[in-house]
Amino acid sequence: MTATRCFSILSVMIITLCVSGCTAIYRAGLHSLSSYRSRAIPPKPDYVLNGRAWTNIVSSTTNRITVLHIEATNYYSIGYHHGKLMSLQASNNITALLGMADKLVAKFTKSFVPGRVRKKLISEELDRAWASMEPYVPRQDIEEMQGLADGIKAAGINNISLKMIQRVHAIPDLGETSCSALIACSSATSDGHVYQLRVLDYGAGIGMENPQITVVKGTRPNENLYVNVGWAGFIGLITGINEKSVCISEMGYRNPPGERLDATPMIFLMKQTLRYSDSAHEAVAILSAARRNNSYAYWVGDKNGNAAGLLTGPDSFFEYWMNKNEVVNDVAKKKGRPDRIEPVPQYKDVIYAGHDNKKEGAEVKRLLGSLNVESLKEVSRKIAMDSNFQVGIFDLTTLDLWVSNARGTNRAVDCEYIKFSHSEW
């Protein structure tokens, strides 16, 4: 994890809108139309508890993941069931993640800042970051966080507040991660299936020892059922797949000027793509149209072999599709040296990129035609960083997935994988 963004708050952009009298009259007339108003004005928040949830365990000899299934007609209930059923695990993870932020700051401040003062400063900084983000957070997730807080409290745990939950969800956009990804299909694989690999390198050992796969059934028409591969107490999404086979992952991409916090947080933007996308093309459209904050690379695939890599920033958006680019140009940044262009060769029926493009490219070339679940595990072990925290391998043809999480000081790639079959979700 590179701490280039950690605890640095961008000033809120001030935009002055000069609306002429004619425009104001036009807008007033437009909003009087019931057909327009029904689309432009969202429904009132719904905090009536309903639905149901249950858990089961998927495990191997050394790996164990709780699966939380939730069915409800509003997002508050989704959060409430999460908090109520997973209260202890959620509270432990929330406390651990905030503790990680404290340790990170303590590492740089040494003994110059007393612990109590340091914690207060961290809380204030995270609160300021959240205040910039909150206007752009989908309301579904605002309501889900409130439900999570209430569910944890209803389970008898009183030391987790809504403020703490908001702080946890502000952290991902304050730090960059160096990850890796790959999508392969047809001739590149051993069986013609579509596979997607997600290697998350985010600092093994930060204390998130309660992995959770959350299966959320859509609450409204046109919303997809989706699987969030994450952790208890964290409602954002950084790895997942939906019932239409759309799969998404991300990584921090460089650190260009112009990054901001007053935009949709990455962890909720990715969630929106799974809620509403029926194909990789629709997912790309959602990401393209969004008000984006920082610089991220995304990978999106679907069962039909549509696959795209996206290099994005607040005001930039470059997409490269499988079999459309023989080479993708990356910018190699070296400390103390001028930036230079680094060509990343792409191969037939594969797109890939990551923190070490040369090493990953060599593995792809070597295994071309034989990529599958087992060979992707092998690739992961060779390209993952010491901070490797999670790996997800998705078969987009069958909708089965395999997940491994770091345990203690062991990288995720060195731990056992858990298979979560489509029939189970």
Side-chain angles (χ1 to χ4, degrees):
M1 174 181 177
T2 53
T4 53
R5 292 196 194 112
C6 285
F7 309 109
S8 61
I9 305 303
L10 304 178
S11 58
V12 178
M13 297 176 66
I14 301 174
I15 302 173
T16 304
L17 298 177
C18 299
V19 181
S20 68
C22 291
T23 303
I25 293 172
Y26 168 74
R27 286 181 174 174
L30 186 61
H31 280 278
S32 70
L33 298 175
S34 59
S35 59
Y36 177 87
R37 190 166 61 248
S38 66
R39 294 193 298 271
I41 302 175
K44 293 180 180 179
D46 184 357
Y47 290 98
V48 177
L49 182 62
N50 64 63
R52 65 186 185 126
W54 66 97
T55 63
N56 64 280
I57 303 295
V58 288
S59 64
S60 64
T61 306
T62 61
N63 204 348
R64 174 185 171 95
I65 303 175
T66 300
V67 182
L68 172 64
H69 306 258
I70 309 175
E71 295 179 358
T73 62
N74 62 52
Y75 295 94
Y76 173 80
S77 297
I78 290 173
Y80 186 94
H81 290 306
H82 181 165
K84 184 74 179 292
L85 283 180
M86 301 296 296
S87 57
L88 181 60
Q89 297 91 333
S91 61
N92 287 343
N93 278 347
I94 291 167
T95 303
L97 199 51
L98 292 175
M100 179 274 294
D102 181 51
K103 288 179 182 178
L104 180 64
V105 174
K107 178 180 178 182
F108 291 102
T109 60
K110 305 296 183 184
S111 59
F112 301 119
V113 181
R116 184 180 299 179
V117 175
R118 188 176 62 243
K119 288 185 172 77
K120 183 175 184 293
L121 291 174
I122 291 171
S123 294
E124 290 175 352
E125 193 75 355
L126 289 174
D127 288 344
R128 281 194 291 271
W130 181 255
S132 295
M133 300 174 184
E134 188 172 22
Y136 306 96
V137 175
R139 203 182 72 188
Q140 299 101 312
D141 301 302
I142 295 289
E143 295 172 11
E144 190 173 339
M145 279 188 279
Q146 181 66 65
L148 179 65
D150 290 350
I152 292 173
K153 186 175 181 180
I157 296 177
N158 298 310
N159 66 330
I160 302 297
S161 65
L162 177 59
K163 276 283 188 186
M164 293 172 68
I165 292 171
Q166 292 169 343
R167 289 167 190 160
V168 162
H169 289 82
I171 289 175
D173 282 316
L174 295 178
E176 292 183 343
T177 59
S178 296
C179 308
S180 301
L182 177 153
I183 306 174
C185 70
S186 303
S187 66
T189 68
S190 64
D191 51 13
H193 288 200
V194 183
Y195 291 101
Q196 184 156 340
L197 170 67
R198 193 276 197 272
V199 179
L200 172 64
D201 297 323
Y202 196 75
I206 64 173
M208 297 276 280
E209 299 293 343
N210 296 284
Q212 175 178 298
I213 296 174
T214 308
V215 182
V216 181
K217 185 177 180 181
T219 64
R220 296 173 183 167
N222 302 318
E223 286 185 356
N224 293 311
L225 178 150
Y226 64 89
V227 175
N228 185 344
V229 183
W231 299 271
F234 185 75
I235 71 160
L237 185 141
I238 55 175
T239 307
I241 187 171
N242 70 17
E243 62 182 315
K244 304 295 175 56
S245 81
V246 178
C247 186
I248 187 168
S249 64
E250 57 74 42
M251 66 175 272
Y253 182 68
R254 310 309 179 198
N255 192 26
E259 293 184 321
R260 63 195 182 197
L261 292 178
D262 56 331
T264 304
M266 170 269 296
I267 57 174
F268 298 124
L269 178 55
M270 290 179 66
K271 206 170 172 184
Q272 289 289 77
T273 65
L274 295 190
R275 281 188 182 123
Y276 299 114
S277 300
D278 291 352
S279 68
H281 287 90
E282 290 183 5
V284 170
I286 290 174
L287 292 165
S288 174
R291 180 180 172 88
R292 298 181 300 277
N293 53 11
N294 296 329
S295 179
Y296 289 104
Y298 297 97
W299 285 268
V300 182
D302 65 32
K303 65 182 178 183
N304 296 316
N306 301 308
L310 311 171
L311 307 179
T312 76
D315 302 303
S316 61
F317 194 88
F318 171 73
E319 57 190 90
Y320 65 99
W321 290 83
M322 184 182 290
N323 296 329
K324 297 295 184 182
N325 302 78
E326 293 185 0
V327 174
V328 176
N329 289 323
D330 192 10
V331 178
K333 291 182 176 289
K334 302 292 183 182
K335 288 185 178 179
R337 302 180 189 176
D339 296 349
R340 61 181 177 80
I341 298 298
E342 179 183 84
V344 183
Q346 302 294 303
Y347 301 98
K348 181 175 173 56
D349 295 334
V350 181
I351 60 169
Y352 74 94
H355 78 95
D356 190 332
N357 290 318
K358 288 185 178 179
K359 184 182 290 186
E360 186 173 359
E363 288 300 302
V364 169
K365 185 177 181 180
R366 181 176 69 87
L367 294 168
L368 208 60
S370 61
L371 291 168
N372 54 32
V373 174
E374 294 307 314
S375 61
L376 288 174
K377 291 178 183 178
E378 181 182 345
V379 171
S380 300
R381 281 191 294 272
K382 293 189 176 182
I383 65 175
M385 301 173 70
D386 291 341
S387 61
N388 176 233
F389 194 54
Q390 182 195 77
V391 179
I393 300 174
F394 300 81
D395 184 333
L396 305 191
T397 303
T398 65
L399 300 189
D400 297 332
L401 59 114
W402 291 258
V403 182
S404 182
N405 294 285
R407 290 176 61 85
T409 58
N410 295 319
R411 301 183 306 168
V413 290
D414 299 321
C415 298
E416 276 192 276
Y417 285 79
I418 299 294
K419 182 179 180 181
F420 188 46
S421 300
H422 179 222
S423 60
E424 297 179 76
W425 61 273

